[in-house]
């Protein structure tokens, strides 16, 4: 065995001990494996790269910045040249994207000229100074204030964790041993060698020691050498954006560097995200990784100079890295003159990542020379690159699923991570020992939902594969437990899971193979309330061949985990629980082909179909499921993909990143679907309905709920849930309060809560109080899940986050329809199913016209529907001018109001209005959707329709050529 946890199994002596499995230690281990040496890597954490490597910019610097003649200059240039070869041999992501150093005036231009000369002195090729206009031609989002730039053609980016992981895995494959959770407490001379003492008392003898302990490398060095080092930890904070952000930079963009560092940069990542950062703040604590509100604000402010559009919008997470800044302002590499055999890799601040391969080559050669070791016969420099589902083409997906059905089960929908990828890391050469190891190796939980969907599923897979109970699983470090308890038979149930999909007794047995001959009339994507309703409605409207594809192995969507009642009163005229409601809808699917456990990866127009306007084109859907990967053709598609919760990273909360932070839906899935309790004492942020319901559920399961805190001055959930879930259980609701910081390096220990100014919705400085808790549950709103729609070219509404549709729920792409929470977030599942009925019937009618060769752009003018005073976004956003029947306009009030009139009017181009419908409301709240049914029949070509909410009495509307259509109150 070459991978250990703690000191168990570790031998008493080795030729070389490498302390630290950051990128420098891992690169060094890989190069040491080339020699005939017995090597052990000791890592204090549960995974590799637990320090500066993990929270790193991922920039492979060209080498223009370091002072000529320094170790930084030498290793940076040499390391940068090694990166392409290492990427090829080890199979890690490396993108040669160039970089720009931008300036803002004559003084900066002079500084850039100095960098150009310095780079040339360091041997850097491909440097040139360009104008601001030339820079903006390369990067259009650059500030108009940029006047000049240094173009660095050798600049590149990588994933620092992947570089370290690939290097160490290759080292282990070539005979190197690794021990995790093996913190070194003491180094001492032992004859010609060293004794290395671990915190558990284990003593290991080594002929040579490589000190790659990051910010702690000075401490180990100073135990042996009189030539003392001093490292100042420097905190760098970052904001990472969603990869759907419209603004894009292809190059890494720096500002002219200062004494503090290379400043705030804007850069893409190899995973197609964009980030800004870092800050540079000296601190005393080497292990403190908490972000600060001030630091994150400073990062955005600094980035604005380069990218004026920088903001917190689109941020999916923030994080901190700590750099090891030495007093000499240079790397400390090699043996101190008073301790032969101790090889330092210390004070490795920027450009440490760029330098790591060259440092590894150099240190390994020096160690081998010191110990008289020759090259190892049979060293294999190449490592099999990791296959990723998201990077496969259709043929590769089909081959992968045919070989192993786990490739067809998508666990992480944001990053398209399959079960096979997770299982591979649990049983790999360097097995994943904590949840964050899975995250960094597969990208599961790294997407926009921040693990809200996939965390419970990952916990189940880990239990099944390793026998580890959920309460034994840790997020990252010792003490970062994920759940406080689980049902006694959890592991046994996970290991005994079957092949059938089921909805509380409604079986949806998987087919042995996909049947894809010929096009479907309608394909519905999503098997929640709206999706099931749409599929049944399409069949009822005459669609002969309807396919319902759902990513979950069990139909029902979010209703599967909503064990409370309150469903069905409008739909079935009786009160049902969520699973009961799902059973009722599933029972209506006779004649519909159902594919559970199926993920739709993309939708596009099928080549060679449709006329010049594309209206009659078939839609091609790329699907993957355990039975196989395939391409399905459809005459019409209904998107019922539901919504996701706003994750912790999108809230901009500063502080630590411990375990114990869950979205309300994730906590609900853990309790109701998995039988796990997320913690012992909870604070709930946000008063959305699911958060209110979870306050009651956690209380009933024995947790203490300290309180619910709401940013707004009014509750976000339904009044009945406040009474039944909070008041009845004496759980306090604090309006105009929010969480501003989290504390706890392993498990959450407390949160800081501040009062909020209702006018600005910003925390009030000086009002913070600390509240002890081990669990933070987030109920901060839902966002329509529309990645498929966006990629298919569907126009999205900024107000709802869903598609722009007409009254038939047709989107801007002919043949694609949308409904349910994917369209706009509903307060009742019953209403979502009503939308499904409309979308399904509309899709069936479209499919019939395609089959008959009659589908075409109809040329009918669509009247825009706008939100007026006092209301949120309105659905539909368009109404066909020839629509003769009633059209339901759905919206949420924009404020809490009493004694108001809700009205819809038709507005002419000259501003005159016709009243379409109005009614009084004694109370209107944003938590409850409102609805007006109107008719546009007989209207004389209005410019737009407008819905508004005004204080009583009703405004009088002026006719515009046709009589007003009087509405009831």
């Amino acid at each position: 065995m070459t991978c250990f946890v703690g000191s168990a199994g570790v031998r008493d002596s080795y030729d070389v001990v490498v302390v630290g499995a950051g990128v420098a230690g891992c690169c060094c281990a890989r190069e040491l494996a080339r020699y005939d040496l017995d090597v052990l890597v000791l890592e204090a954490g549960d995974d590799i790269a637990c320090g500066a490597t993990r929270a790193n910019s991922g920039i492979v610097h060209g080498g223009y910045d370091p002072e000529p003649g320094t170790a930084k200059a030498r290793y940076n240039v040499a390391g940068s040249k090694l990166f392409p070869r290492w990427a090829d041999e080890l199979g890690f992501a490396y993108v040669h994207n160039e970089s720009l150093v931008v300036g803002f005036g004559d003084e900066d231009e002079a500084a850039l000229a100095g960098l150009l000369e310095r780079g040339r002195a360091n041997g850097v090729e491909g440097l040139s100074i360009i104008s601001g206009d030339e820079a903006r031609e390369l990067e259009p989002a650059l500030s108009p204030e940029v006047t000049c730039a240094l173009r660095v053609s050798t600049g590149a980016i990588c994933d620092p964790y992947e570089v370290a992981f690939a290097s160490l895995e290759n080292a282990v494959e070539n005979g190197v041993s690794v021990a995790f959770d093996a913190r070194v407490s003491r180094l001492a001379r032992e004859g010609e060698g060293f004794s290395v003492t671990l915190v558990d008392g284990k003593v290991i003898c080594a002929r040579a020691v490589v000190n790659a302990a990051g910010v702690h490398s000075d401490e180990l060095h100073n135990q042996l050498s009189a030539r003392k080092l001093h490292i100042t930890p420097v905190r760098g904070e970052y904001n990472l954006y969603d990869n759907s952000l419209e603004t894009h930079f292809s190059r890494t963009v720096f500002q002219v560097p200062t004494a503090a560092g290379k400043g705030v940069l804007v850069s893409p990542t190899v995973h197609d995200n964009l980030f800004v950062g870092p800050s540079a703040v000296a601190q005393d604590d080497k292990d403190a990784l908490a972000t600060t509100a001030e630091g994150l604000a400073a990062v955005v402010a600094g980035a604005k100079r380069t990218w004026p559009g920088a903001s917190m919008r689109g941020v999916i997470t923030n994080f901190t890295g700590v750099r090891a800044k030495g007093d000499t302002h240079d790397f400390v590499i090699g043996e101190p003159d008073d301790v032969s055999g101790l090889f330092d890799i210390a004070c490795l601040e920027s450009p440490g990542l760029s330098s790591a391969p060259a440092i590894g080559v150099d240190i390994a050669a020096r160690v081998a020379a010191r110990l008289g070791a020759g090259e190892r016969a049979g060293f294999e420099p190449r490592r099999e690159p990791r296959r990723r589902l998201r990077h496969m083409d259709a043929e590769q997906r089909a081959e992968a699923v045919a070989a192993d059905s786990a490739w067809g089960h998508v666990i992480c929908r944001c990053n398209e991570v399959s079960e096979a990828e997770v299982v591979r890391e649990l049983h790999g050469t360097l097995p994943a020992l904590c949840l964050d190891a899975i995250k960094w190796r597969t990208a599961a939980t790294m997407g926009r939902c921040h693990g809200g969907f996939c965390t419970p599923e990952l916990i189940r897979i880990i239990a099944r594969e390793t026998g580890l109970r959920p309460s034994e699983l840790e997020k990252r470090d010792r003490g970062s437990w994920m759940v406080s308890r689980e049902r006694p038979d959890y592991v046994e149930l996970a290991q005994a899971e079957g092949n059938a999909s089921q909805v509380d007794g409604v079986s949806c047995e998987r087919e042995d193979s996909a049947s894809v001959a010929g096009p479907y009339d309608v394909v519905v994507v999503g098997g929640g309330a709206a999706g099931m309703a749409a599929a049944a409605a399409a069949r009822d409207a005459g669609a002969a061949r309807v396919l319902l594809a759902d990513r979950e192995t069990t139909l029902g969507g979010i209703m599967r985990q909503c064990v409370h009642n309150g469903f069905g009163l409008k739909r079935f005229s009786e009160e049902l629980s969520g699973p009961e409601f799902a059973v009722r809808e599933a029972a209506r699917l006779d004649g519909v082909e159902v594919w559970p456990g199926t993920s739709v990866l993309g939708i596009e127009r099928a080549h060679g179909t449709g006329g010049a306007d594309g209206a009659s084109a078939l839609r091609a859907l790329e699907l993957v499921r355990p039975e196989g990967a395939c391409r399905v053709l459809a005459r019409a598609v209904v998107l019922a993909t539901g919504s996701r919760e706003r994750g912790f990273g999108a809230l901009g909360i500063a502080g630590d990143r411990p375990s114990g932070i869950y979205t309300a839906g994730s906590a609900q899935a853990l309790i109701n679907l998995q039988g796990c309790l997320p913690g012992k004492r909870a604070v709930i942020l946000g008063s959305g309905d699911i958060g209110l319901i979870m306050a009651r559920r956690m209380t009933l399961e024995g947790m203490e709920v300290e309180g619910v805190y709401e940013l707004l001055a009014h509750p976000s959930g339904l009044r009945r849930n406040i009474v039944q879930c909070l008041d009845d259980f004496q759980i306090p609701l604090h309006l105009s309060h929010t969480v501003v910081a989290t504390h706890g390096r392993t498990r959450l220990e407390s949160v800081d809560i501040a009062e909020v100014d209702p006018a600005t919705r910003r925390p009030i400085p000086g009002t913070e109080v600390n509240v002890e808790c081990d669990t933070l549950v987030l109920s901060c709103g839902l966002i329509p899940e529309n990645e498929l729609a966006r990629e298919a070219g569907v126009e999205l509404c900024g107000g709802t986050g869903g598609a722009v549709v007409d009254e038939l729920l047709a989107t801007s792409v002919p043949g694609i329809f949308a409904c349910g929470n994917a369209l706009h977030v509903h307060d009742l599942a019953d209403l979502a199913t009503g939308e499904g009925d409309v979308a399904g019937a509309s899709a069936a009618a479209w499919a019939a016209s395609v089959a008959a060769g009659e589908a075409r752009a109809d040329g009918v003018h669509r009247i825009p529907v706008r939100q007026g005073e006092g209301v949120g976004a309105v659905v539909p956003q368009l109404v066909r001018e020839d629509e003769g029947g009633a059209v339901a306009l759905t919206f949420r009030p924009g404020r809490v109001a009493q004694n108001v009139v809700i009205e819809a009017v038709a507005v002419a181009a000259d501003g005159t209005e016709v009243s379409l419908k109005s009614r009084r409301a004694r109370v209107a709240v944003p938590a409850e959707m409102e609805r007006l049914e109107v008719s546009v029949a007989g209207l004389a070509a209005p410019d737009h329709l407008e819905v508004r909410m005004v204080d009583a009495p009703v405004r009088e509307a002026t006719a515009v050529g046709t009589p007003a259509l009087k509405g009831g109150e």
Side-chain angles (χ1 to χ4, degrees):
M1 180 178 180
T2 56
C3 184
F4 309 101
V5 180
S7 61
V10 175
R11 298 199 316 272
D12 293 336
S13 65
Y14 291 83
D15 290 326
V16 186
V17 166
V18 179
V19 182
V23 69
C26 292
C27 288
C28 187
R30 191 241 182 174
E31 290 304 301
L32 284 167
R34 294 179 182 272
Y35 298 94
D36 192 14
L37 293 167
D38 196 4
V39 180
L40 172 68
V41 178
L42 297 174
E43 168 55 44
D46 288 351
D47 191 20
I48 66 161
C50 289
T53 301
R54 185 166 301 200
N56 188 287
S57 301
I59 311 300
V60 181
H61 296 283
Y64 59 83
D65 186 45
E67 190 71 32
T70 60
K72 285 184 177 181
R74 184 169 67 256
Y75 288 117
N76 184 170
V77 175
S80 177
K81 291 179 179 178
L82 284 174
F83 255 93
R85 193 188 84 200
W86 279 46
D88 176 64
E89 290 178 345
L90 298 176
F92 59 75
Y94 170 82
V95 179
H96 183 196
N97 70 322
E98 297 193 347
S99 59
L100 297 174
V101 187
V102 296
F104 303 85
D106 293 343
E107 185 176 340
D108 282 353
E109 187 165 1
L112 292 179
L115 288 178
L116 176 66
E117 292 307 311
R118 183 182 293 183
R120 287 173 175 169
N122 289 337
V124 181
E125 300 175 349
L127 299 175
S128 61
I129 292 179
I130 61 177
S131 69
D133 288 340
E134 289 173 315
R136 278 182 289 277
E137 286 181 11
L138 298 174
E139 297 293 345
L142 274 178
S143 167
E145 303 300 318
V146 171
T147 61
C148 51
L150 176 67
R151 185 175 183 180
V152 185
S153 64
T154 56
I157 54 177
C158 66
D159 179 338
Y161 180 95
E162 191 181 12
V163 175
F165 180 79
S167 298
L168 188 57
E169 186 173 65
N170 181 241
V172 171
E173 289 169 347
N174 281 285
V176 170
S177 297
V178 182
F180 293 105
D181 196 22
R183 183 179 296 276
V184 174
S185 62
R186 184 172 179 268
L187 283 182
R189 262 299 188 190
E190 194 74 32
E192 293 297 315
F194 303 88
S195 63
V196 183
T197 305
L198 306 185
V199 291
D200 66 1
K202 172 76 174 182
V203 178
I204 303 164
C205 294
R207 297 170 62 199
V209 171
V210 176
N211 173 21
V215 290
H216 296 283
S217 57
D218 59 340
E219 300 163 28
L220 296 184
H221 169 97
N222 293 341
Q223 291 182 17
L224 293 169
S225 175
R227 313 290 190 259
K228 302 303 181 186
L229 298 179
H230 180 260
I231 286 176
T232 299
V234 177
R235 182 177 73 248
E237 296 167 77
Y238 297 83
N239 283 312
L240 181 72
Y241 293 88
D242 189 5
N243 56 19
S244 66
L245 194 72
E246 292 182 0
T247 300
H248 185 70
F249 284 81
S250 60
R251 293 165 182 80
T252 301
V253 183
F254 301 92
Q255 298 168 8
V256 172
T258 66
K262 296 180 175 64
V264 174
L265 59 92
V266 180
S267 180
T269 73
V270 294
H271 306 297
D272 299 323
N273 300 91
L274 192 68
F275 75 88
V276 297
S279 57
V281 180
Q283 62 185 33
D284 295 327
D285 191 336
K286 293 182 176 181
D287 298 314
L289 296 175
T291 58
T292 65
E294 299 78 13
L296 295 174
V299 163
V300 172
K304 279 182 175 292
R305 196 174 186 214
T306 298
W307 170 32
S311 70
M312 291 300 294
R313 185 176 179 84
V315 171
I316 58 172
T317 193
N318 57 65
F319 58 93
T320 288
V322 176
R323 307 193 288 277
K325 190 175 186 65
D327 287 349
T328 65
H329 306 292
D330 198 6
F331 299 158
V332 176
I333 307 295
E335 295 172 283
D337 58 13
D338 59 344
V339 190
S340 63
L342 173 66
F343 294 84
D344 285 319
I345 306 177
C347 307
L348 207 67
E349 58 178 331
S350 181
L353 170 63
S354 309
S355 305
I359 291 172
V361 170
D362 187 30
I363 288 292
R366 293 197 208 183
V367 171
R370 169 66 65 185
L371 301 183
E375 292 188 1
R376 183 191 304 273
F379 174 80
E380 175 52 66
R382 304 195 71 85
R383 163 186 171 269
E384 187 70 25
R386 289 291 197 268
R387 290 195 300 165
R388 311 283 185 191
L389 181 68
R390 69 181 303 182
H391 296 152
M392 293 178 180
D393 59 27
E395 183 178 350
Q396 291 169 331
R397 284 195 297 269
E399 291 176 356
V401 179
D404 180 358
S405 63
W407 282 101
H409 181 201
V410 175
I411 299 298
C412 173
R413 61 185 71 176
C414 299
N415 288 327
E416 293 180 4
V417 179
S418 70
E419 181 179 345
E421 293 164 80
V422 174
V423 172
R424 177 181 64 197
E425 299 308 329
L426 291 171
H427 301 295
T429 303
L430 294 173
L433 303 175
C434 57
L435 191 62
D436 270 8
I438 295 292
K439 167 184 173 179
W440 284 92
R441 298 179 195 187
T442 69
T445 79
M446 246 183 199
R448 60 187 62 88
C449 84
H450 219 58
F453 287 121
C454 55
T455 295
E457 183 71 358
L458 288 171
I459 291 174
R460 183 189 62 81
I461 292 172
I462 292 169
R464 185 192 73 202
E465 294 295 318
T466 69
L468 196 68
R469 299 196 309 272
S471 57
E472 297 172 323
L473 176 64
E474 293 172 320
K475 181 179 186 290
R476 179 170 174 179
D477 296 317
R478 292 287 177 246
S480 59
W481 48 275
M482 292 297 298
V483 303
S484 59
R485 73 165 193 254
E486 67 284 313
R487 55 184 295 166
D489 57 351
Y490 185 98
V491 173
E492 290 77 9
L493 288 173
Q495 293 175 338
E497 59 186 358
N499 291 325
S501 303
Q502 200 168 7
V503 187
D504 260 17
V506 177
S507 179
C508 299
E509 291 287 341
R510 292 174 171 169
E511 303 168 9
D512 291 334
S513 61
S515 175
V516 294
Y520 286 90
D521 291 310
V522 178
V523 172
V524 180
V525 184
M532 288 191 287
R539 177 209 57 210
D540 291 344
R545 196 165 183 225
V546 179
L547 171 64
L548 173 60
D550 188 53
R551 61 168 63 98
E552 301 294 342
T553 56
T554 309
L555 292 179
I558 193 66
M559 292 182 296
R560 298 176 305 123
Q561 62 194 55
C562 296
V563 298
H564 54 279
N565 57 17
F567 299 89
L569 288 173
K570 293 182 180 293
R571 183 75 166 175
F572 299 112
S573 299
E574 62 178 297
E575 192 170 35
L576 305 169
S577 69
E580 290 170 336
F581 188 97
V583 167
R584 291 287 184 92
E585 288 296 333
R588 302 175 59 239
L589 294 176
D590 287 346
V592 172
E593 197 170 338
V594 178
W595 287 8
T598 301
S599 293
V600 179
L601 304 182
I603 302 174
E604 62 183 12
R605 176 180 172 179
H607 296 301
T609 65
D613 62 3
S616 61
L618 297 178
R619 299 294 153 188
L621 294 85
E622 295 292 341
L623 282 71
V624 64
R625 59 188 190 133
E627 291 74 21
C630 60
R631 183 180 177 90
V632 165
L633 297 179
R635 296 186 173 97
V637 175
V638 178
L639 297 177
T641 47
S643 60
R644 59 181 168 87
E645 295 174 279
R646 184 170 281 107
F648 179 72
L651 300 178
I653 298 173
D656 294 307
R657 297 293 174 265
S659 65
I661 301 174
Y662 292 102
T663 61
S666 190
Q668 187 180 53
L670 283 171
I671 294 176
N672 293 345
L673 297 182
Q674 303 246 8
C676 297
L677 201 62
K680 302 171 185 176
R681 178 181 168 89
V683 162
I684 298 177
L685 176 60
S687 60
D689 287 315
I690 193 169
L692 300 176
I693 289 164
M694 285 309 299
R696 175 178 64 186
R697 190 75 174 98
M698 289 188 293
T699 300
L700 291 172
E701 289 295 329
M703 288 182 66
E704 179 183 358
V705 178
E706 192 281 334
V708 176
Y709 295 84
E710 170 58 56
L711 175 78
L712 302 176
H714 57 81
S716 297
L718 298 172
R719 178 61 192 166
R720 74 180 187 201
N721 286 331
I722 294 171
V723 172
Q724 296 173 2
C725 301
L726 300 188
D727 295 350
D728 289 354
F729 291 85
Q730 298 181 322
I731 299 171
L733 172 61
H734 306 273
L735 300 176
S736 296
H737 283 76
T738 193
V739 173
V740 294
T742 54
H743 303 288
R745 294 191 181 177
T746 53
R747 180 72 184 195
L748 184 67
E749 296 174 2
S750 66
V751 296
D752 289 343
I753 293 174
E755 297 177 20
V756 173
D757 183 339
T760 64
R761 296 183 180 177
R762 294 185 178 277
I764 301 172
T767 63
E768 298 87 355
V769 295
N770 185 260
V771 177
E772 292 184 0
C773 59
D774 60 34
T775 306
L776 175 62
V777 174
L778 307 173
S779 181
C780 300
L782 299 172
I783 301 169
E785 188 74 38
N786 270 305
E787 292 316 299
L788 281 176
R790 181 181 289 108
E791 292 171 8
V794 170
E795 180 185 357
L796 299 181
C797 171
T800 64
V804 173
V805 296
D806 62 18
E807 76 278 10
L808 300 179
L809 302 187
T811 71
S812 60
V813 176
I816 297 182
F817 301 79
C819 62
N821 277 2
L823 182 58
H824 57 149
V825 176
H826 289 72
D827 54 351
L828 296 174
D830 302 56
L831 299 181
T833 55
E835 275 186 358
D837 293 340
V838 174
S842 299
W846 179 265
S849 67
V850 171
E854 299 172 354
R856 59 182 57 87
D858 55 26
V860 176
H861 174 66
R862 285 164 172 77
I863 307 167
V865 182
R866 300 179 184 173
Q867 64 187 86
E869 177 186 348
V871 304
V874 184
V875 175
Q877 294 86 355
L878 303 167
V879 176
R880 293 163 55 96
E881 194 173 51
D882 63 352
E883 175 58 60
V887 176
L889 303 178
T890 307
F891 53 92
R892 291 180 185 269
R895 58 187 173 89
V896 175
Q898 294 181 329
N899 191 25
V900 292
V901 171
I902 299 172
E903 60 182 348
V905 297
V907 183
D910 63 2
T912 53
E913 300 177 352
V914 171
S915 175
L916 301 180
K917 187 85 172 223
S918 67
R919 63 175 172 82
R920 292 182 182 272
R922 288 186 298 175
V923 177
V925 294
E928 299 183 17
M929 299 183 77
E930 298 286 350
R931 208 176 141 95
L932 283 178
E933 288 196 354
V934 303
S935 172
V936 297
L939 290 179
D943 180 74
H944 65 274
L945 308 184
E946 182 175 298
V947 179
R948 58 197 177 208
M949 183 178 75
V950 297
D951 294 332
V954 179
R955 294 181 181 178
E956 295 295 327
T958 305
V960 288
T962 59
L965 299 172
K966 300 298 183 182
E969 295 184 353

